[in-house]
Amino acid sequence: MPQEGEDRALIDFVEGVLAEKSEEGAVVAVGGLGLTLFLSHPTLQSLPPKGNKVRLFGYLHVKEDLLQLYGFSDRRERDIFLKLIAVTGIGPRVALAVLSAYDPDAFVRIVACEDLEAITAVSGVGKKSGQRIILELKDKLAPLAGDLGVVVGGPDGSDLAREAREALKGLGYSVREANHALEGYAADEPSVEGMIKYALKRLGGSG
C-alpha cells in the first residue's frame, strides 16, 4: 500500500524483467507488456543487466492525451519527486533532472540551507524556479533536514561548499559527483581548500 504522502503515485510499483535500457530510462516486461519508465541517472545506473528481474516504485503522470510512467529506486526518491512536482511550475522532467543531480539527502540539505546556486545548477531550473522550490519545500522538508542534522535556514558551510563545488566542476566533475564527494566533510575550521582535498580523495583524484 502507498504510504502517507504518496496518494498521487497511482502505480505503487512495477515488477518484471528488464528488457531494455536507454539514456532516459528503461523498458520493463510485465505480463506480456513492455512498460517504458523514465528514470533518474542514479536509478538507471543501479539497474541490473538486461534479462534480470527488477522492481521499481512508480508514478503515472497523466496530462491530457499523454501518459508517462516514472520509476524510482525507493520510496524516498519518489517522495522527493512528488514534492518537487507539487511546486508551482515544476514538471516531472525537471523534477527528474534534480534527482539526477542530487540524491534525496543532498537535495534536502540544499533546500534547508537555501542554496539557490546549487538548485539552479540543474538543467531546466532557473532562478525563479529555484526560489520557488526553496520557498515551497523548506518547511515540508524540515523534518527530514532535522533527521540529517541540518538546521533549516542555517549556513551549514553553504558558501564554502558552493566555492568548492564550482572548483570541482572546473576540474570536470559533474554537479552530482561534486556534491556526493563533499558529503560528510567536517572540520573545526572549514575551508574551501580542505573541502576540495577531501572531495578529491573520495573521488580518487590527487590532492
Side-chain angles (χ1 to χ4, degrees):
M1 293 291 291
Q3 296 180 352
E4 183 179 355
E6 296 181 343
D7 54 306
R8 295 195 302 148
L10 297 180
I11 293 180
D12 191 48
F13 66 87
V14 172
E15 187 171 88
V17 176
L18 181 61
E20 297 289 343
K21 288 195 287 187
S22 69
E23 292 184 359
E24 292 190 328
V27 176
V28 179
V30 182
L33 298 175
L35 301 179
T36 298
L37 295 94
F38 293 99
L39 310 172
S40 68
H41 292 165
T43 296
L44 184 59
Q45 292 171 359
S46 72
L47 293 178
K50 291 191 298 182
N52 284 270
K53 189 175 182 179
V54 294
R55 190 175 195 263
L56 295 165
F57 292 93
Y59 169 76
L60 180 62
H61 180 61
V62 181
K63 184 178 180 181
E64 298 176 357
D65 60 346
L66 178 67
L67 296 177
Q68 290 181 323
L69 185 58
Y70 292 81
F72 309 93
S73 59
D74 53 41
R75 292 184 184 277
R76 188 176 180 84
E77 185 185 31
R78 182 174 66 183
D79 184 52
I80 295 296
F81 175 88
L82 292 175
K83 284 180 170 60
L84 275 164
I85 63 174
V87 174
T88 305
I90 301 299
R93 301 307 289 269
V94 172
L96 206 63
V98 172
L99 289 170
S100 290
Y102 304 110
D103 63 43
D105 286 351
F107 176 71
V108 169
R109 289 190 181 96
I110 286 168
V111 172
C113 297
E114 301 182 28
D115 191 345
L116 181 61
E117 186 173 334
I119 293 178
T120 55
V122 178
S123 177
V125 180
K127 183 177 180 179
K128 290 184 178 179
S129 295
Q131 290 172 332
R132 283 197 297 268
I133 288 173
I134 292 173
L135 178 64
E136 296 185 30
L137 294 187
K138 186 170 63 175
D139 291 341
K140 293 179 181 179
L141 295 177
L144 296 178
D147 291 341
L148 295 173
V150 179
V151 178
V152 175
D156 198 45
S158 57
D159 289 339
L160 297 178
R162 278 195 289 270
E163 290 186 44
R165 181 171 55 247
E166 287 303 311
L168 291 168
K169 286 169 60 181
L171 293 174
Y173 294 103
S174 68
V175 173
R176 183 179 180 83
E177 288 172 329
N179 279 280
H180 180 70
L182 288 168
E183 285 184 2
Y185 172 81
D188 292 335
E189 297 183 7
S191 67
V192 174
E193 182 180 358
M195 286 183 171
I196 294 172
K197 287 183 176 180
Y198 170 83
L200 288 175
K201 186 174 182 180
R202 295 192 68 192
L203 289 164
S206 60

